[in-house]
Amino acid sequence: MTATVEPEVGRSRLRKEDARLITGRTRWTDNLALPGLLHVAFLRSTSAHARIASIDTSAAKAKPGVIAILTGADLAEEQGSLPCAWPITEDMKAPPAPSLAIDTVNFAGEAIAVVIARGKAEAHDALEVIDVDYDELPVVLDMATAIDDTDLVHPDLGTNKSALWVFDSAEAGTGSDVEEAIADAEVLIERTFRQQRLIPSFMEPRSVMVDPTGEQLTMWSSTQIPHILRLMLALTTNTPEHKIRVIAPDVGGGFGGKLQVTPEEVVCLLAAKRLGKPVKWTESRSESLVSGHHGRDQIQKLTLAARRDGTVTGLKVELLADMGAYLRLVTPGVPILGAFMFNAIYKIPAYRFACTNVFTNKTPTDAYRGAGRPEATFAIERLMDELAAELDLDPIELREKNWIKKDEFPFTTVAGMTYDSGDYEAATARAKELFDYDGLRAEQRERRRRGDVVQLGIGTSTFTEMCGLAPSRVLGALAYAAGGWEHAAIRMLPSGKVEVVTGSSPHGQGHETAWSQIVADQLGVPFDDIEVLHGDTQISARGMDTYGSRSLTVGAMAVLKAGEKVIAKARKIAAHMMECAEDDLEFAGGQFTVRGTDKSTGITDVALAVFAGHDLPDGIEPSLDAEATFDPENFSFPHGTHLCATEVDTETGLVKIRKYVCVDDIGKVINPMIVDGQVHGGLAQGLAQALYEEAIHDETGTLTTGTFADYLVPSAADLPAFVTDRTVSPSTTNALGVKGVGEAGTIASTPAVVNAVIDAVRHLGVRDIPMPCTPMRVWSAIQGASTAESGIRGEAGGGLGSIDTAGGSR
């Protein structure tokens, strides 16, 4: 009798990756060394906008240990322009983006020279004596005034506006005219929200090492995108692609901040080529904050039209999005991703989205965890709370009135997306139960009746997101330069062990564990007999890398398809070995069994027979190895309900999170422990935007939050205990039934927290507080709100808004 083997998929397996991580045996780029290694340090502009009158490097060249100093002028003919892969409109303005500034600097922190020395300290010492003379230019910092084109970031462009991108449901045929909906509305909610600028704060700083010796240039980089980086380095520096090898070793987090082709990667490659010696650069934390790309930074002008019974009839979105000084890899497309999510889970019949991308003299922006979708979710979930308050409806009841019902899937939205599956009712019911929603509402009413100093607020966020960034045809329609497919290979070794090669490159997601679980179940081999290889363009020759919650829904599907090919190959050989027809074989638990008999052979036995090659069927090559590429036809759409209770001290403005519950639906779960970790990490980042983090520049364009003493990243001590749970509505867009989870917590949590803060003090007349909701801003909002209709004016362009009913004044 054969013992039943517990399936791997669905088990909370400890991660294979963690043993080396927690014992200090990691392969971070900065841990690596090569014989004769030289060290690189970058001189960065102290001015936000200026012409470089002169750079005197003579004193620096005389410093001990200095091998070479290169300026933008030295590399002008070979550094090219950093790539932008997403020209969102045909007339998009895109200025040249040199890795080292040549004659003009456009943000404080832009690299203008590089020192290569024998030691890291020697390189940094030399930076101190480089003398730069600047001719200052007008600094453009505010998006709202930048669009007036009074002062220009790039005078050659003649404007600060990079592009205008519009989606109109009436023109697209996906909905009706939004202006008609606004004109006919019984209730209008008009708000302007600010998405503050955030800085990706990964655990491992960026690091690059390049070895020019041998037949290839080999680059080790702490990157999310080794395959894309290889191609872009080849195109940017005019180096043959087959002469470049990129390795992403252990990568300590990214959050989109390492989804980039960076100036430092280009310059290190060029410096290594020029000197013929290996070089390495590792950034300091303050260097990371000022020069690595930033995220978010939008002004959102919003109009929500509705009937008095709470039915939403239209949504109009007008965005200003700050590109910073240059367009990096996907900078212009990040706010556009949000265009398809402002309608969220709701049946909104009319919709218009218009986004103006604007240049300023700030660090460039680009993808940050969620990339456009957290911004959209924040806007619509804040608006739904505002509408509920105006109509005196429970926020959840209002949402339920407008959301897509379970029996309406698949559902094509006003933005043209087809949601394949979902069950908002189940997720919300479970969240309310775990949260004790009715009990906390009763406590809130009692605190208000008593006039307590500390008031209780309850915030709701019911979200969905488009993830599994992949469908190549869709990306092509959006003018994205690449596809979204993913590649994988499975190699069956003679000993029965298995190597899985994936083009998805992890930086903390747990690929090695989850992929092993999937393949173990599919091929019937032990979990520990599977090795997952990744992050090296010489080992994994094809791939589109990791971002946009795509690894499982796209990358793991490629693995699954490769496994199907392995089984199909093995079936032919097993049938030959057992002298039966292929159709007579059943495959389960790693065994091929002749139907109706006990005659069987294992797939590992087949692998050994293939290696020997003594008795294979005619025309069959001696290999079970297989490759596959997967390109889905649609995104996946995870969803969930997040509920937050905050206690707000009305005398000090201090906010404490009393309780946080989230119930997410991410389809089928491969490893619950990994999922919980992803959700917890995502929640931490979403809460951080709501309460802590903001990149602030002074009037000269200098980043004043350039250290962790000023840029407030919460620690575990600042976070509540999260209550998490799941419902399951399997995805129909992939055979695994999975949906993405890497960004869900971040997308959903920010509006839940802010809604809770506003809810705690709404009865005092407060209708908005700009993020982050610091004690000072909360206190100021309370002090400035004389009545519930007065609104507030906050710092940093925060939340001006008005509620209007048809026929009333705006």
Side-chain angles (χ1 to χ4, degrees), residues 510-526:
H511 290 33
E512 294 175 31
T513 303
W515 277 216
S516 295
Q517 291 179 268
I518 292 167
V519 172
D521 280 355
Q522 185 185 28
L523 299 185
V525 297

Side-chain angles (χ1 to χ4, degrees), residues 282-586:
T282 301
E283 68 183 353
S284 67
R285 183 60 66 180
S286 59
E287 195 174 14
S288 176
L289 293 173
V290 75
S291 64
H293 76 243
H294 295 176
R296 311 284 194 261
D297 210 352
Q298 294 181 2
I299 298 173
Q300 304 172 316
K301 183 180 179 182
L302 309 157
T303 304
L304 187 72
R307 294 198 292 264
R308 282 224 160 265
D309 67 357
T311 302
V312 175
T313 57
L315 174 64
K316 183 178 179 180
V317 178
E318 298 170 276
L319 295 188
L320 286 179
D322 193 346
M323 304 290 96
Y326 301 102
L327 301 181
R328 294 303 195 220
L329 191 62
V330 294
T331 301
V334 168
I336 306 309
L337 284 173
F340 304 100
M341 287 288 101
F342 274 87
N343 53 283
I345 66 172
Y346 307 115
K347 295 179 287 189
I348 301 176
Y351 173 58
R352 188 176 192 275
F353 171 97
C355 178
T356 302
N357 287 347
V358 182
F359 291 115
T360 63
N361 290 119
K362 295 180 183 177
T363 304
T365 58
D366 209 302
Y368 178 60
R369 197 170 190 170
R373 291 150 295 163
E375 298 92 313
T377 301
F378 179 86
I380 187 62
E381 289 304 289
R382 285 286 295 113
L383 286 177
M384 294 301 281
D385 258 34
E386 295 300 298
L387 179 60
E390 167 66 6
L391 299 177
D392 197 23
L393 293 174
D394 180 88
I396 294 181
E397 291 178 8
L398 174 71
R399 287 166 168 82
E400 184 175 7
K401 184 176 184 64
N402 288 281
W403 72 37
I404 303 158
K405 303 301 189 291
K406 180 181 179 181
D407 59 6
E408 294 177 301
F409 290 97
F411 185 91
T412 300
T413 73
V414 72
M417 292 284 105
T418 298
Y419 297 174
D420 63 313
S421 67
D423 190 345
Y424 309 141
E425 297 94 323
T428 303
R430 181 59 175 153
K432 288 180 68 177
E433 177 188 357
L434 292 171
F435 191 69
D436 186 20
Y437 186 82
D438 294 337
L440 286 171
R441 282 292 184 199
E443 180 183 342
Q444 180 188 54
R445 290 191 293 271
E446 179 61 20
R447 288 197 187 196
R448 289 187 179 181
R449 185 192 65 79
R450 294 195 305 258
D452 288 1
V453 168
V454 177
Q455 287 290 312
L456 180 67
I458 297 171
T460 302
S461 175
T462 49
F463 84 104
T464 190
E465 60 157 323
M466 52 181 278
C467 68
L469 194 65
S472 294
R473 291 183 180 181
V474 176
L475 294 177
L478 293 173
Y480 184 62
W485 49 265
E486 194 49 81
H487 185 75
I490 292 181
R491 303 197 289 241
M492 290 292 299
L493 305 181
S495 60
K497 313 302 182 184
V498 179
E499 291 178 337
V500 177
V501 182
T502 177
S504 181
S505 183
H507 44 280
Q509 290 86 350
H511 290 33
E512 294 175 31
T513 303
W515 277 216
S516 295
Q517 291 179 268
I518 292 167
V519 172
D521 280 355
Q522 185 185 28
L523 299 185
V525 297
F527 172 83
D528 291 326
D529 286 354
I530 300 167
E531 189 76 13
V532 178
L533 308 174
H534 56 78
D536 183 339
T537 61
Q538 197 122 301
I539 293 174
S540 171
R542 299 180 62 202
M544 293 301 292
D545 304 318
T546 298
Y547 41 85
S549 299
R550 69 187 302 274
S551 291
L552 184 62
T553 57
V554 189
M557 275 303 302
V559 171
L560 195 72
K561 288 186 67 176
E564 291 170 355
K565 292 182 179 181
V566 168
I567 294 169
K569 286 185 175 183
R571 182 183 298 275
K572 293 180 181 295
I573 299 167
H576 178 76
M577 292 169 64
M578 291 188 286
E579 300 178 327
C580 67
E582 289 181 49
D583 292 343
D584 290 338
L585 288 182
E586 297 175 337

Side-chain angles (χ1 to χ4, degrees), residues 17-67:
E17 302 90 328
D18 289 344
R20 67 176 183 272
L21 296 177
I22 63 178
T23 56
R25 294 181 289 111
T26 48
R27 300 186 298 270
W28 310 125
T29 301
D30 194 45
N31 286 353
L32 306 177
L34 293 167
L37 184 67
L38 302 176
H39 294 266
V40 173
F42 285 86
L43 181 69
R44 301 190 181 277
S45 173
T46 57
S47 175
H49 198 199
R51 292 187 183 89
I52 302 173
S54 65
I55 302 179
D56 183 357
T57 62
S58 56
K61 287 178 178 177
K63 294 287 269 184
V66 172
I67 301 300

Side-chain angles (χ1 to χ4, degrees), residues 222-290:
S222 180
T223 181
Q224 298 175 220
I225 53 168
H227 298 90
I228 294 173
L229 176 58
R230 181 196 192 198
L231 173 61
M232 292 303 180
L233 286 172
L235 296 175
T236 301
T237 66
N238 198 30
T239 304
E241 184 182 0
H242 67 291
K243 293 297 185 181
I244 301 174
R245 177 185 183 185
V246 175
I247 302 171
D250 289 326
V251 177
F255 313 126
K258 295 174 183 175
L259 200 181
Q260 197 55 261
V261 179
T262 68
E264 295 83 8
E265 288 162 334
V266 171
V267 172
C268 284
L269 184 142
L270 293 176
K273 283 177 67 175
R274 180 174 287 216
L275 298 175
K277 294 181 179 296
V279 303
K280 183 165 73 173
W281 166 79
T282 301
E283 68 183 353
S284 67
R285 183 60 66 180
S286 59
E287 195 174 14
S288 176
L289 293 173
V290 75

